[in-house]
Amino acid sequence: MPGGNDEMKAPSTDGKAAAPLRWARARRVLFWAIVVELACFAFFLAILGIGERSRVALLALYAPRQPVLVATVLAAVVAPLTKRRLLVGLQGVACLIALFPVMGLHLGGARASEFPVRLASYNVFFGRLGRPALLDEIGAMQADIILLQATYSSMGERVKARFPDRSTHECDDFLLITRYPIVKVEEPPPLADGTPAKFVGYVLETDAGPLRVFNVHPFSPRQALFDDDQTNDNIRHREEQIAAVMAAVRRDDIPFVIAGDTNLPGLSATGRRYLGDLHDAFDDVGFGFGYTFPAKRPWMRIDRAFASDRIHFVDARVGKQGASDHRALFVEFEIDSHR
């Protein structure tokens, strides 16, 4: 046909040319996602091995962990494009590591209990985000024991007026509100260098017998993170404060609960060293990540509850954002009184 050869069009090569380009981009995304992923995993391995002994380790311990999950999931999504089963499998394992050990995901759940003891722990941030709203929030808590940290000077009197039928005790910036009789209060002496021990112990007479409760709030790591001169002292004092709590709980065999703003995330070497043989409420029966700080978009589980073998946790959950920079922790447990 006249002009037929001129009218015939050559097969388009746009698709073939675009495919290598897309693959090159995918490889770059995969490469950098794996680099970020491995760097983050290395940081967390350093935390486990070194512990809180330097500012770098502290930064890794208290930094948000969401970037680890984002990088790992991104790498897992892109990995199948390589058609390499080993790489896909490794990224699947990496996702599990990111979700569970690194991010701290728990898949537990509440257990049935007829008459549990209900405890709430709440760092109230000195009432700086609204004292009336804070008192309303505490008033709505359905708990037998409420442990408050970072309270303000007039809070004790206001709480007594709000809870006329409850026993209360105020010491420093700690406050206890409970429906149980307070049998004894332990206000610990300062540490050897005069630093506050930052906890208060109580003996309560519950329906199931005596219970020791420790309201704790060791030093925040803020000074260690942002002031070179304070790093070593801050790390040492926080560890000594936790050690002082553990020395107090070992003095008798009454079942005990330790709760409060521990300032110790799950990967903390200090936490593992001193609290590792206790039952962690969220580890036992929590579901999700259990993050409590910062309240608006939390990424750390530092408000925690621990207990001896004679305490059996049946529920653990985190409250909604309220009038504080922390979220409240709610736990329920049974007391084994048959030993």
Side-chain angles (χ1 to χ4, degrees):
M1 295 177 62
N5 291 337
D6 294 336
E7 294 176 2
M8 291 179 63
K9 295 182 179 179
S12 174
T13 59
D14 291 347
K16 293 182 179 180
L21 181 60
R22 286 195 297 269
W23 170 232
R25 289 174 178 171
R27 288 179 63 183
R28 284 197 295 271
V29 170
L30 179 61
F31 173 78
W32 286 111
I34 291 177
V35 167
V36 172
E37 172 187 279
L38 292 177
C40 292
F41 285 169
F43 263 118
F44 289 111
L45 285 174
I47 294 172
L48 294 174
I50 300 172
E52 298 99 303
R53 298 181 183 177
S54 69
R55 177 179 289 187
V56 174
L58 282 177
L59 284 170
L61 179 63
Y62 291 97
R65 301 175 190 178
Q66 284 82 350
V68 183
L69 185 61
V70 171
T72 305
V73 171
L74 182 60
V77 170
V78 178
L81 298 177
T82 66
K83 298 182 180 180
R84 296 179 181 177
R85 293 182 180 179
L86 178 60
L87 182 58
V88 173
L90 289 174
Q91 284 308 126
V93 172
C95 283
L96 294 177
I97 294 173
L99 278 171
F100 290 93
V102 176
M103 299 290 294
L105 177 63
H106 290 82
L107 300 179
R111 302 169 185 167
S113 177
E114 191 172 2
F115 301 110
V117 177
R118 298 167 299 176
L119 181 148
S121 173
Y122 197 16
N123 178 324
V124 299
F125 192 43
F126 306 103
R128 292 174 183 169
L129 299 185
R131 294 183 178 183
L134 179 62
L135 290 173
D136 289 341
E137 189 179 354
I138 294 169
M141 291 180 176
Q142 300 296 315
D144 304 308
I145 304 167
I146 301 176
L147 302 177
L148 304 179
Q149 307 91 42
T151 59
Y152 53 91
S153 58
S154 63
M155 192 170 186
E157 292 302 320
R158 297 188 182 191
V159 163
K160 287 180 182 179
R162 189 69 177 261
F163 295 92
D165 60 333
R166 303 289 180 96
S167 301
T168 63
H169 184 273
E170 186 175 20
C171 174
D172 192 18
D173 60 348
F174 295 94
L175 182 59
L176 164 70
I177 309 165
T178 178
R179 73 175 184 85
Y180 300 121
I182 302 174
V183 177
K184 182 181 178 182
V185 176
E186 178 182 354
E187 298 180 7
L191 304 179
D193 64 355
T195 300
K198 298 302 290 181
F199 77 89
V200 181
Y202 319 93
V203 178
L204 309 180
E205 189 60 46
T206 73
D207 300 333
L211 171 70
R212 299 183 77 197
V213 177
F214 292 85
N215 192 358
V216 303
H217 187 198
F219 283 168
S220 165
R222 287 189 180 95
Q223 288 180 316
L225 292 171
F226 302 112
D227 187 340
D228 282 331
D229 295 334
Q230 298 292 326
T231 298
N232 291 334
D233 286 344
N234 179 273
I235 294 171
R236 176 174 57 83
H237 285 147
R238 187 163 44 258
E239 181 167 353
E240 290 176 351
Q241 288 164 343
I242 294 296
V245 175
M246 292 309 300
V249 304
R250 302 299 189 194
R251 288 177 189 149
D252 58 45
D253 61 353
I254 298 176
F256 64 82
V257 174
I258 301 170
D261 176 5
T262 67
N263 277 312
L264 299 175
L267 292 177
S268 165
T270 299
R272 294 196 308 275
R273 186 178 305 116
Y274 292 98
L275 305 169
D277 62 341
L278 303 180
H279 294 279
D280 181 313
F282 208 85
D283 284 352
D284 286 0
V285 293
F287 183 86
F289 296 104
Y291 297 158
T292 60
F293 181 85
K296 189 173 183 179
R297 294 184 180 88
W299 72 73
M300 281 192 288
R301 183 165 70 93
I302 56 176
D303 298 88
R304 305 171 69 181
F306 300 88
S308 59
D309 288 339
R310 294 175 61 186
I311 300 294
H312 306 291
F313 288 112
V314 296
D315 194 18
R317 59 185 177 83
V318 175
K320 298 179 180 179
Q321 181 182 0
S324 174
D325 62 344
H326 287 247
R327 296 191 181 197
L329 172 67
F330 299 92
V331 301
E332 297 182 8
F333 56 88
E334 297 174 336
I335 303 173
D336 183 355
S337 58
H338 300 296
R339 294 187 185 181

